[in-house]
Short mmCIF file of all heavy atoms in Angstrom, two decimals:
data_model
loop_
_atom_site.label_atom_id
_atom_site.label_comp_id
_atom_site.label_asym_id
_atom_site.label_seq_id
_atom_site.Cartn_x
_atom_site.Cartn_y
_atom_site.Cartn_z
N ARG F 1 2.14 49.85 -34.65
CA ARG F 1 1.55 48.89 -35.33
C ARG F 1 0.11 49.10 -35.41
O ARG F 1 -0.54 49.36 -34.29
CB ARG F 1 1.85 47.49 -34.69
CG ARG F 1 1.27 46.25 -35.47
CD ARG F 1 1.85 44.95 -34.90
NE ARG F 1 1.39 44.86 -33.53
CZ ARG F 1 1.77 43.78 -32.78
NH1 ARG F 1 2.68 42.98 -33.16
NH2 ARG F 1 1.32 43.78 -31.53
N MET F 2 -0.57 49.01 -36.53
CA MET F 2 -2.02 49.26 -36.67
C MET F 2 -2.75 48.01 -36.22
O MET F 2 -2.37 46.93 -36.51
CB MET F 2 -2.36 49.73 -38.02
CG MET F 2 -1.58 50.84 -38.62
SD MET F 2 -1.44 52.35 -37.64
CE MET F 2 -3.15 52.87 -37.74
N GLY F 3 -3.87 48.33 -35.51
CA GLY F 3 -4.73 47.21 -35.11
C GLY F 3 -5.62 47.62 -33.93
O GLY F 3 -5.57 48.76 -33.47
N GLY F 4 -6.36 46.66 -33.45
CA GLY F 4 -7.28 46.94 -32.38
C GLY F 4 -6.85 46.39 -31.05
O GLY F 4 -7.60 46.54 -30.08
N GLY F 5 -5.66 45.76 -30.95
CA GLY F 5 -5.20 45.15 -29.71
C GLY F 5 -4.51 46.14 -28.79
O GLY F 5 -4.29 47.26 -29.15
N PRO F 6 -4.11 45.69 -27.52
CA PRO F 6 -3.35 46.53 -26.66
C PRO F 6 -2.05 47.10 -27.30
O PRO F 6 -1.30 46.23 -27.86
CB PRO F 6 -3.14 45.59 -25.48
CG PRO F 6 -4.09 44.52 -25.52
CD PRO F 6 -4.40 44.35 -27.07
N GLY F 7 -1.87 48.35 -27.21
CA GLY F 7 -0.64 48.92 -27.73
C GLY F 7 -0.68 49.16 -29.21
O GLY F 7 0.29 49.73 -29.75
N GLU F 8 -1.69 48.74 -29.88
CA GLU F 8 -1.81 48.92 -31.33
C GLU F 8 -2.59 50.18 -31.66
O GLU F 8 -3.43 50.62 -30.83
CB GLU F 8 -2.49 47.67 -31.98
CG GLU F 8 -1.68 46.44 -31.92
CD GLU F 8 -2.38 45.28 -32.57
OE1 GLU F 8 -3.57 45.21 -32.60
OE2 GLU F 8 -1.60 44.36 -33.07
N LEU F 9 -2.39 50.79 -32.83
CA LEU F 9 -2.89 52.06 -33.17
C LEU F 9 -4.13 51.89 -34.13
O LEU F 9 -4.03 51.08 -35.00
CB LEU F 9 -1.84 52.91 -33.78
CG LEU F 9 -0.51 53.08 -33.03
CD1 LEU F 9 0.43 53.93 -33.77
CD2 LEU F 9 -0.73 53.63 -31.63
N ARG F 10 -5.16 52.75 -33.88
CA ARG F 10 -6.34 52.61 -34.77
C ARG F 10 -6.51 53.91 -35.60
O ARG F 10 -6.59 53.95 -36.80
CB ARG F 10 -7.55 52.23 -33.92
CG ARG F 10 -7.55 50.91 -33.30
CD ARG F 10 -8.86 50.60 -32.61
NE ARG F 10 -10.04 50.59 -33.53
CZ ARG F 10 -11.23 50.44 -33.12
NH1 ARG F 10 -11.53 50.32 -31.81
NH2 ARG F 10 -12.21 50.47 -33.97
N GLU F 11 -6.73 55.01 -34.86
CA GLU F 11 -6.95 56.33 -35.49
C GLU F 11 -6.25 57.38 -34.69
O GLU F 11 -6.83 58.06 -33.82
CB GLU F 11 -8.50 56.56 -35.58
CG GLU F 11 -8.89 57.75 -36.33
CD GLU F 11 -10.37 58.05 -36.36
OE1 GLU F 11 -11.09 57.11 -35.99
OE2 GLU F 11 -10.76 59.17 -36.63
N VAL F 12 -4.97 57.59 -35.00
CA VAL F 12 -4.15 58.57 -34.33
C VAL F 12 -4.45 59.95 -34.86
O VAL F 12 -4.51 60.24 -35.96
CB VAL F 12 -2.67 58.19 -34.51
CG1 VAL F 12 -1.80 59.25 -33.79
CG2 VAL F 12 -2.40 56.84 -33.93
N THR F 13 -4.73 60.85 -33.85
CA THR F 13 -4.95 62.24 -34.15
C THR F 13 -3.83 63.20 -33.70
O THR F 13 -3.59 64.23 -34.23
CB THR F 13 -6.25 62.75 -33.64
OG1 THR F 13 -6.28 62.52 -32.21
CG2 THR F 13 -7.42 61.90 -34.32
N HIS F 14 -3.18 62.78 -32.55
CA HIS F 14 -2.14 63.58 -31.95
C HIS F 14 -1.03 62.70 -31.31
O HIS F 14 -1.46 61.63 -30.86
CB HIS F 14 -2.73 64.57 -30.94
CG HIS F 14 -3.71 65.55 -31.46
ND1 HIS F 14 -3.35 66.69 -32.18
CD2 HIS F 14 -5.02 65.52 -31.51
CE1 HIS F 14 -4.40 67.27 -32.52
NE2 HIS F 14 -5.53 66.60 -32.14
N MET F 15 0.15 63.27 -31.20
CA MET F 15 1.28 62.60 -30.43
C MET F 15 1.91 63.71 -29.67
O MET F 15 2.24 64.75 -30.26
CB MET F 15 2.21 61.87 -31.31
CG MET F 15 3.49 61.31 -30.57
SD MET F 15 5.01 61.25 -31.46
CE MET F 15 5.47 63.00 -31.53
N VAL F 16 2.16 63.56 -28.39
CA VAL F 16 2.84 64.50 -27.60
C VAL F 16 4.00 63.70 -26.80
O VAL F 16 3.68 62.59 -26.41
CB VAL F 16 2.03 65.40 -26.61
CG1 VAL F 16 1.09 66.24 -27.39
CG2 VAL F 16 1.22 64.42 -25.69
N ALA F 17 5.07 64.41 -26.52
CA ALA F 17 6.20 63.75 -25.81
C ALA F 17 5.94 63.83 -24.31
O ALA F 17 5.42 64.91 -23.84
CB ALA F 17 7.46 64.40 -26.17
N ARG F 18 6.29 62.90 -23.57
CA ARG F 18 6.27 62.92 -22.11
C ARG F 18 7.60 63.49 -21.68
O ARG F 18 8.67 63.16 -22.14
CB ARG F 18 6.13 61.52 -21.55
CG ARG F 18 4.94 60.79 -21.96
CD ARG F 18 4.92 59.31 -21.72
NE ARG F 18 4.93 58.98 -20.26
CZ ARG F 18 5.19 57.77 -19.91
NH1 ARG F 18 5.44 56.80 -20.68
NH2 ARG F 18 5.11 57.51 -18.62
N PRO F 19 7.61 64.50 -20.78
CA PRO F 19 8.89 65.17 -20.40
C PRO F 19 9.99 64.20 -20.01
O PRO F 19 11.15 64.42 -20.29
CB PRO F 19 8.46 66.15 -19.21
CG PRO F 19 7.04 66.32 -19.46
CD PRO F 19 6.49 65.10 -19.99
N GLY F 20 9.62 63.22 -19.23
CA GLY F 20 10.60 62.22 -18.74
C GLY F 20 10.99 61.22 -19.79
O GLY F 20 11.92 60.34 -19.52
N GLY F 21 10.38 61.15 -20.84
CA GLY F 21 10.75 60.20 -21.94
C GLY F 21 9.47 59.42 -22.36
O GLY F 21 8.74 59.01 -21.43
N GLY F 22 9.31 59.15 -23.58
CA GLY F 22 8.10 58.43 -24.13
C GLY F 22 7.13 59.37 -24.68
O GLY F 22 7.30 60.59 -24.72
N VAL F 23 6.05 58.80 -25.19
CA VAL F 23 4.99 59.63 -25.80
C VAL F 23 3.56 59.21 -25.33
O VAL F 23 3.43 58.08 -24.76
CB VAL F 23 4.98 59.48 -27.38
CG1 VAL F 23 6.28 60.05 -27.94
CG2 VAL F 23 4.77 58.03 -27.80
N VAL F 24 2.70 60.18 -25.49
CA VAL F 24 1.22 59.86 -25.32
C VAL F 24 0.59 60.02 -26.75
O VAL F 24 0.74 61.07 -27.37
CB VAL F 24 0.63 60.83 -24.31
CG1 VAL F 24 -0.91 60.56 -24.26
CG2 VAL F 24 1.23 60.80 -22.97
N ILE F 25 -0.15 58.97 -27.23
CA ILE F 25 -0.83 58.98 -28.43
C ILE F 25 -2.27 59.22 -28.09
O ILE F 25 -2.91 58.53 -27.34
CB ILE F 25 -0.63 57.61 -29.14
CG1 ILE F 25 0.84 57.41 -29.47
CG2 ILE F 25 -1.45 57.64 -30.39
CD1 ILE F 25 1.50 58.34 -30.43
N VAL F 26 -2.92 60.28 -28.76
CA VAL F 26 -4.26 60.40 -28.71
C VAL F 26 -4.96 59.58 -29.85
O VAL F 26 -4.74 59.96 -31.00
CB VAL F 26 -4.66 61.94 -28.85
CG1 VAL F 26 -6.20 62.07 -28.71
CG2 VAL F 26 -3.91 62.68 -27.74
N ASP F 27 -5.61 58.50 -29.49
CA ASP F 27 -6.24 57.65 -30.49
C ASP F 27 -7.70 57.65 -30.44
O ASP F 27 -8.31 57.16 -29.49
CB ASP F 27 -5.70 56.16 -30.22
CG ASP F 27 -5.94 55.27 -31.34
OD1 ASP F 27 -7.07 55.22 -31.86
OD2 ASP F 27 -5.01 54.54 -31.80
N GLU F 28 -8.28 58.26 -31.44
CA GLU F 28 -9.75 58.46 -31.54
C GLU F 28 -10.40 57.12 -31.74
O GLU F 28 -11.56 56.89 -31.34
CB GLU F 28 -10.15 59.42 -32.68
CG GLU F 28 -9.73 60.91 -32.33
CD GLU F 28 -10.61 61.55 -31.27
OE1 GLU F 28 -11.61 61.00 -30.91
OE2 GLU F 28 -10.22 62.63 -30.82
N GLY F 29 -9.71 56.13 -32.35
CA GLY F 29 -10.31 54.88 -32.60
C GLY F 29 -10.52 54.07 -31.37
O GLY F 29 -11.54 53.49 -31.16
#
């Protein structure tokens, strides 16, 4: 979900998977 709050996305540049499950989003915003 786009936005400025916790867990919301602003300016995503990369996504990588966590080996145990889940993702890390690199958010420049």
